[in-house]
Amino acid sequence: MGVQGLASLIKNHRTIYRDVRFRKSRLVIDGCNLIYLLYFNSGLDQNRGGDYAAFEDLIEKFIKALRDCEVTPYVVLDGGADYTGKKLETLTLRAKGRIARAHQAAVGDTKEDILPQLVKLTFKQTLARLEVPVAQCYGEADQEIAALAKEWQCPVLSNDSDFYIFDLPAGLLPISYFQWEAVVQSGSQSYIPCKNYNASSFCIVFNIQRQLLPTFAALAGNDYVKLERMDSPVHWTQFCPASSETPTCLEGLLCWLRDFHQTQEAFEAALGLMGELSTKRKAGVLEGLYLGMEEYKLPPSSLKRFFTHGTPPPLPAAEQVAGLVPDWTRLPLTQARLTSDILDVLQLHGISLAFTVGDADMPSMHLTSRPIRQVMYGLLLGKGKQHQVTECDRDGLQLTATLVQPAFTGVSQQLRLSSLDQAEPSQRLQVLLEALGATEASLSRLPPQLRLPVAVTCYWLQRAQPHPDESLLKALLLGISNGEGLRQRAALQIQNEHCKQKLDVRVVHAFNQWQACLKDSLHLNQLLGFPLPEPQIARLYEGTVVHHLVYWMRTGGKLKYFLKSDCSSVKQYQAMLAVVHQLPTQEVSTPSEIQKTAASSQRQPLNDLTANLQQLYGDEDEEAATEVRSAVKALEDIHLDDFVSVRTRYKAKERNNRSKNPELARKEECRGLDFL
């Protein structure tokens, strides 16, 4: 969790740092730390659901800068939550803080450093595409990062203050001083200007023994014991030199430690400063201090063989969790191709849900996607009276814990976690489709990368509360189908308006629900071994763009301004729109009912679909009629008409118009440009 205030202390003693020209080296990167700092320092959107394509571009530039300087990155990510519970108090306080900041960001449209939901998935996908070595730990990554860097004799890139304490022979490169955007060309070589921290320099400046750094960290406060909360806390500032203008606890503690050479004598002296303590209380405090020091002892690296030979590390052997996680999950977990949430469900029977920007007066976005998670819980835990999962979420501004029952679809109850990786592909696909209430036939005519997001959109359209209106659906589908060209036109349009649109918290809530549905569906898809191709997040959603599209439509703007000039994207949009609306609007069903619902809706006649579309768009004007007509035609173009019948007045009218007006027929080859 870091030593609070240590980074600020070192910043005031900059002689500790050494300027370096970093090049031609391995570099172990604290992935989670990098995600936060890259995203928050970039000025990217936080309040409208995230600018994932722009974040992807940023990651690409970062990796290119490293490779231009012959730096080989190895990214290490955190995994599941700590099963010992020692960090529970700290994590609870942080969660409550995020809930409050997420609400403030929504109502005030301010940046409060709240990470959008799919940023981490975008990060993982981008690194995989760029073939950057990535390892996801089973638990917290700090020790694994430090152990690997020590064995490889290379530096760590992070801003986490724990790395100021670890024994790192090649030191730490703080991200704050890592000028990767200012690569310097020197002859035929390039380097990144940065600063290097080494623990030896720290100890020289503060005149303490090197072996006492973990002792210092433990006394400063850790997850096991916090001395400042004792009945008689130690006021370390009293030991600061008289010349200190702004005395701090850390500086006073370091001054006090100068007189000691061994940990034991320092701990005993610290206990003496706390006044009268019972023997039992002293023993408990001393135990907590020593446990805090254990955090900085480095075992042999468990990731070295993974990065060099692809061998995943063994699962934790602790008695509390032994045997709970099947062996086949080790490799996909370490490859970050399987969410670490499954470790929390299996080991703790609990999961902490993300808090993203949203009005706390609205229900949690995760309620919409809970049935998807319940299917995942069923696969992980099987049937059993005790197999409930505690979901940590919010209710208003309060942190809540809700017991959630695992659920089973028609096929999932036949599968076992221990052999899930060996299940028939058709069975694994059917579990995913049953969870989303979709059918293979309706999705199979779409491009592979669109099948999962379209199925999710169908699910969201039926379950989101309040029910998404036309502008929300159109904005989503246009964003998916038009990509970079749409982003560029939207940015130019926003710039030309010379105004910032007020954040609409109801639009934020609707798209938050969609992203939650997508995220949980992606996790279920991962657990099932990718029965559907995983879509690239950066191609699906761009927060500022879709919010602007909704605003544009609701203020009377025509969408043809934002469409690409080629017909393929318009056709793709129409095809997705048709598939989304081929299922009738139905009552929200439980996971056990999904199979029956999907089967009953598989063969909806196209005239019923046309009625659905007509109800959505109305039929009072030719523009709306053309919208319906083109969506129906899109179904034919992707060959969905081989299992639905086509008999509508719009179909007949279209044939009549085409025969009388060849120019209309030609124009509708690029349908969408003139009526959207």
Side-chain angles (χ1 to χ4, degrees):
M1 290 295 181
V3 181
Q4 189 172 1
L6 183 55
S8 299
L9 175 68
I10 296 175
K11 188 176 180 180
N12 295 328
H13 295 79
R14 294 197 177 187
T15 55
I16 294 172
Y17 291 122
R18 179 170 58 92
D19 290 327
V20 296
R21 299 179 175 185
F22 188 62
R23 64 176 303 275
K24 204 169 186 178
S25 171
R26 285 172 168 166
L27 179 65
V28 182
I29 299 175
D30 181 352
C32 292
N33 202 249
L34 179 64
I35 290 171
Y36 282 92
L37 291 166
L38 274 183
Y39 199 91
F40 293 149
N41 292 342
S42 65
L44 296 177
D45 166 71
Q46 298 176 23
N47 296 353
R48 290 165 175 77
D51 284 339
Y52 301 119
F55 186 54
E56 179 188 54
D57 292 341
L58 193 66
I59 299 165
E60 289 178 350
K61 291 175 182 176
F62 177 80
I63 298 301
K64 181 180 184 302
L66 296 182
R67 288 173 169 168
D68 286 347
C69 300
E70 300 180 78
V71 174
T72 305
Y74 294 86
V75 178
V76 183
L77 298 164
D78 287 327
D82 177 73
Y83 57 82
T84 66
K86 67 179 183 288
K87 300 180 186 295
L88 181 61
E89 181 183 358
T90 304
L91 292 173
T92 299
L93 289 173
R94 288 186 177 183
K96 289 179 178 179
R98 278 195 296 272
I99 292 173
R101 287 187 287 116
H103 174 71
Q104 178 57 42
V107 298
D109 197 7
T110 57
K111 288 187 176 181
E112 301 290 340
D113 286 352
I114 300 295
L115 207 63
Q117 289 186 73
L118 301 176
V119 166
K120 291 183 180 179
L121 272 167
T122 303
F123 184 74
K124 294 177 183 179
Q125 288 184 344
T126 306
L127 293 184
R129 181 172 54 80
L130 297 175
E131 299 182 342
V132 175
V134 177
Q136 180 176 255
C137 297
Y138 300 137
E140 191 171 325
D142 289 0
Q143 270 190 325
E144 298 290 350
I145 292 170
L148 182 63
K150 183 176 182 179
E151 291 197 21
W152 276 349
Q153 300 283 300
C154 70
V156 167
L157 182 70
S158 177
N159 260 18
D160 190 325
S161 58
D162 273 334
F163 293 106
Y164 291 109
I165 307 299
F166 284 116
D167 180 15
L168 301 174
L172 169 72
L173 304 180
I175 297 177
S176 299
Y177 301 110
F178 195 71
Q179 302 178 55
W180 63 271
E181 293 177 288
V183 171
V184 177
Q185 184 79 26
S186 179
S188 60
Q189 300 177 343
S190 299
Y191 65 86
I192 297 174
C194 58
K195 293 184 182 295
N196 177 275
Y197 165 88
N198 192 286
S200 298
S201 298
F202 179 90
C203 293
I204 291 171
V205 169
F206 288 103
N207 192 24
I208 68 167
Q209 300 297 314
R210 174 66 185 86
Q211 67 270 18
L212 290 183
L213 262 187
T215 308
F216 158 70
L219 287 170
N222 59 68
D223 295 313
Y224 299 94
V225 60
K226 292 177 170 55
L227 301 185
E228 71 275 11
R229 298 187 187 176
M230 301 290 290
D231 294 334
S232 300
V234 181
H235 299 288
W236 296 112
T237 51
Q238 64 181 303
F239 300 106
C240 287
S243 59
S244 179
E245 295 182 4
T246 54
T248 65
C249 290
L250 292 185
E251 188 175 6
L253 173 57
L254 287 165
C255 291
W256 179 81
L257 275 173
R258 290 173 183 173
D259 296 330
F260 300 95
H261 297 274
Q262 299 298 327
T263 295
Q264 184 176 350
E265 59 176 330
F267 281 170
E268 289 177 354
L271 287 174
L273 295 173
M274 297 176 195
E276 294 296 327
L277 294 177
S278 67
T279 303
K280 183 179 180 180
R281 184 62 170 148
K282 282 185 178 181
V285 172
L286 202 59
E287 181 185 11
L289 291 171
Y290 276 111
L291 285 172
M293 284 187 61
E294 289 294 318
E295 302 280 326
Y296 300 103
K297 288 186 178 179
L298 297 181
S301 173
S302 64
L303 294 180
K304 184 177 179 180
R305 281 183 57 79
F306 171 72
F307 280 127
T308 55
H309 299 98
T311 305
L315 289 159
E319 183 179 344
Q320 303 98 308
V321 297
L324 296 177
V325 184
D327 192 66
W328 68 263
T329 63
R330 290 193 301 136
L331 184 59
L333 275 169
T334 310
Q335 292 172 330
R337 288 174 54 81
L338 184 57
T339 173
S340 62
D341 286 351
I342 73 163
L343 294 172
D344 295 346
V345 174
L346 289 170
Q347 297 176 168
L348 304 173
H349 282 204
I351 188 171
S352 294
L353 303 175
F355 304 114
T356 193
V357 171
D359 190 340
D361 290 336
M362 295 181 177
S364 166
M365 63 186 176
H366 297 295
L367 296 177
T368 305
S369 59
R370 178 177 286 171
I372 302 172
R373 294 193 301 279
Q374 288 178 276
V375 173
M376 186 170 75
Y377 301 156
L379 288 170
L380 291 171
L381 300 176
K383 291 186 175 180
K385 294 182 179 179
Q386 304 301 318
H387 290 171
Q388 290 182 309
V389 177
T390 301
E391 290 190 343
C392 291
D393 198 0
R394 70 160 185 85
D395 183 3
L397 286 170
Q398 300 302 312
L399 183 65
T400 61
T402 304
L403 287 175
V404 176
Q405 191 73 33
F408 302 88
T409 64
V411 175
S412 70
Q413 58 190 338
Q414 305 170 23
L415 304 178
R416 297 293 177 268
L417 179 63
S418 58
S419 57
L420 185 59
D421 60 318
Q422 301 170 24
E424 290 295 325
S426 59
Q427 286 184 301
R428 290 185 274 117
L429 174 61
Q430 193 59 30
V431 171
L432 182 63
L433 295 178
E434 287 173 354
L436 294 174
T439 63
E440 187 174 2
S442 62
L443 299 177
S444 62
R445 274 70 176 182
L446 291 171
Q449 284 288 318
L450 292 181
R451 291 171 189 171
L452 186 54
V454 169
V456 167
T457 304
C458 292
Y459 175 96
W460 167 77
L461 194 63
Q462 295 186 31
R463 288 182 176 267
Q465 294 295 331
H467 185 76
D469 64 19
E470 170 193 348
S471 63
L472 296 168
L473 176 63
K474 280 189 173 184
L476 270 178
L477 297 183
L478 282 168
I480 294 171
S481 61
N482 284 271
E484 181 60 32
L486 178 66
R487 285 193 292 274
Q488 292 175 356
R489 273 180 283 278
L492 181 62
Q493 217 275 329
I494 294 171
Q495 183 180 0
N496 289 340
E497 285 186 357
H498 299 293
C499 68
K500 181 182 179 183
Q501 298 156 13
K502 184 179 179 181
L503 186 68
D504 188 327
V505 293
R506 292 188 175 275
V507 176
V508 170
H509 181 64
F511 288 142
N512 278 348
Q513 291 178 89
W514 182 82
Q515 287 200 58
C517 294
L518 179 63
K519 183 178 179 180
D520 289 332
S521 299
L522 289 169
H523 288 169
L524 179 59
N525 191 48
Q526 291 173 358
L527 179 62
L528 291 166
F530 301 94
L532 288 179
E534 184 169 275
Q536 294 296 304
I537 302 299
R539 304 290 174 268
L540 296 183
Y541 184 91
E542 195 79 352
T544 52
V545 172
V546 295
H547 274 253
H548 181 66
L549 288 174
V550 172
Y551 171 81
W552 182 252
M553 280 182 276
R554 290 180 175 179
T555 54
K558 301 295 184 182
L559 293 184
K560 64 180 181 179
Y561 175 85
F562 295 102
L563 288 171
K564 283 185 173 181
S565 57
D566 64 282
C567 301
S568 61
S569 61
V570 181
K571 190 173 183 179
Q572 183 169 274
Y573 163 76
Q574 293 291 350
M576 288 190 294
L577 184 67
V579 170
V580 167
H581 283 292
Q582 74 170 332
L583 295 176
T585 302
Q586 54 189 304
E587 295 296 323
V588 174
S589 56
T590 62
S592 61
E593 297 171 335
I594 291 176
Q595 187 181 29
K596 292 185 289 185
T597 304
S600 66
S601 61
Q602 183 171 354
R603 301 184 61 85
Q604 184 197 4
L606 202 57
N607 57 335
D608 291 345
L609 165 64
T610 307
N612 288 347
L613 292 171
Q614 178 184 343
Q615 183 179 13
L616 180 67
Y617 299 117
D619 62 349
E620 297 303 320
D621 54 47
E622 183 60 26
E623 180 178 0
T626 309
E627 175 84 53
V628 175
R629 183 169 62 240
S630 298
V632 172
K633 186 64 172 62
L635 277 174
E636 294 181 299
D637 291 341
I638 57 174
H639 308 296
L640 283 173
D641 56 328
D642 61 355
F643 70 95
V644 291
S645 60
V646 182
R647 292 293 184 272
T648 72
R649 64 188 181 92
Y650 289 107
K651 179 71 177 174
K653 183 178 180 181
E654 179 186 20
R655 287 198 300 267
N656 188 41
N657 287 343
R658 282 173 174 268
S659 63
K660 292 180 180 180
N661 191 346
E663 180 63 17
L664 175 63
R666 184 191 68 78
K667 286 183 178 180
E668 288 193 354
E669 289 302 315
C670 290
R671 55 192 164 277
L673 291 176
D674 292 325
F675 60 79
L676 286 179

